[in-house]
């Protein structure tokens, strides 16, 4: 049900996707959607949460990196968790479409997602960039550096359609993902290390 709803919400947005259409795509009945999610609003909030969890692979960078890991290793692990394993799979593009619909026609669902998914991820990003910055770095600068790091990776999440159309001539297969992680890590290190000098 979540995958069917995610697909329809990404294609049509919250307001144009009906519960009846979602049930039909999921090969289920309306009663089962109401039983599991109570309302279209609750289903949509769960779809957004689910989409964020799928978009960010926390298994790769983990909530608590080992103390023995170097700051560079923690940075690379964090980046690996955001860069898609394969741009071809379409997951990143679908996630970005969901967010675009929410920006165009806000439902308020992101308020919940900010607390449960976005804020914890940004806190992890702050922990990753903190060792590269001076100890007296203002909190606002630390937050900006964390957002900058996430932004360096997120651009690769919505590229599938552009690549297919030939606008972005970059390799898209899973074999390229690790090279992309290494490149973004290298560029990020250059920026972060120069900031700490």
């Amino acid at each position: 049900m979540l995958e069917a709803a995610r697909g329809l919400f990404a294609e049509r947005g919250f307001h144009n996707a009906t519960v009846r259409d979602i049930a039909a795509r999921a090969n289920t009945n309306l009663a089962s959607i109401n039983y599991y999610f109570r309302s279209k609003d609750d289903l949509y909030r769960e779809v957004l949460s689910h989409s964020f969890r799928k978009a960010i692979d926390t298994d790769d960078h983990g909530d608590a990196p080992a103390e023995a890991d170097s700051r560079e290793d923690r940075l690379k692990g964090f980046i690996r968790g955001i860069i898609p394993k394969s741009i071809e799979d379409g997951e990143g593009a679908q996630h970005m479409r969901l967010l675009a619909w929410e920006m165009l026609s806000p439902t308020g669902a992101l308020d919940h997602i900010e607390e449960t998914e976005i804020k914890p991820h940004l806190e992890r990003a702050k922990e990753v960039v903190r060792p590269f910055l001076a100890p007296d770095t203002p909190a606002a600068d630390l937050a900006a550096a964390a957002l900058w790091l996430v932004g360096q990776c997120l651009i690769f999440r919505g590229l599938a359609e552009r690549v297919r159309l030939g606008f972005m001539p970059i390799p898209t297969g899973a074999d390229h993902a690790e090279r992309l992680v290494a490149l973004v890590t290298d560029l990020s290190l250059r920026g972060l290390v120069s900031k700490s000098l």
Side-chain angles (χ1 to χ4, degrees), residues 19 29-40:
V19 178
N29 57 45
L30 285 172
S32 63
I33 291 179
N34 290 331
Y35 176 78
Y36 288 107
F37 299 103
R38 292 191 311 262
S39 71
K40 181 180 172 183

Side-chain angles (χ1 to χ4, degrees), residues 115-150:
E115 284 300 313
T116 61
E117 306 298 333
I118 299 172
K119 189 174 177 183
H121 187 65
L122 287 176
E123 288 302 316
R124 285 192 298 271
K126 284 194 226 176
E127 291 306 312
V128 167
V129 299
R130 182 176 278 121
F132 292 95
L133 304 176
D136 60 345
T137 298
D141 289 356
L142 175 62
L147 284 169
W148 168 83
L149 175 60
V150 171

Side-chain angles (χ1 to χ4, degrees), residues 9-164:
F9 287 137
E11 290 168 22
R12 303 178 188 174
F14 173 78
H15 300 292
N16 298 320
T18 68
V19 178
R20 187 173 306 281
D21 291 338
I22 293 167
R25 185 173 284 189
N27 293 318
T28 191
N29 57 45
L30 285 172
S32 63
I33 291 179
N34 290 331
Y35 176 78
Y36 288 107
F37 299 103
R38 292 191 311 262
S39 71
K40 181 180 172 183
D41 289 344
D42 288 343
L43 172 60
Y44 183 64
R45 278 192 291 275
E46 184 55 35
V47 163
L48 284 178
S49 290
H50 179 68
S51 187
F52 269 96
R53 287 190 297 272
K54 284 185 76 169
I56 299 167
D57 186 356
T58 55
D59 289 339
D60 272 340
H61 51 73
D63 288 341
E67 287 302 316
D69 289 347
S70 69
R71 66 184 188 171
E72 291 80 8
D73 289 338
R74 289 192 294 271
L75 174 68
K76 188 172 188 176
F78 185 85
I79 290 169
R80 185 179 288 120
I82 303 177
I83 299 279
K85 302 294 181 280
S86 170
I87 294 173
E88 292 169 337
D89 67 11
E91 290 288 333
Q94 194 176 63
H95 179 69
M96 298 306 280
R97 279 195 301 273
L98 277 171
L99 293 181
W101 275 111
E102 189 59 30
M103 296 296 128
L104 288 170
S105 185
T107 65
L110 278 184
D111 294 344
H112 170 72
I113 304 306
E114 283 176 6
E115 284 300 313
T116 61
E117 306 298 333
I118 299 172
K119 189 174 177 183
H121 187 65
L122 287 176
E123 288 302 316
R124 285 192 298 271
K126 284 194 226 176
E127 291 306 312
V128 167
V129 299
R130 182 176 278 121
F132 292 95
L133 304 176
D136 60 345
T137 298
D141 289 356
L142 175 62
L147 284 169
W148 168 83
L149 175 60
V150 171
Q152 302 313 300
C153 305
L154 283 182
I155 190 66
F156 296 102
R157 289 222 145 264
L159 288 182
E161 197 58 34
R162 302 304 184 273
V163 169
R164 271 194 289 279

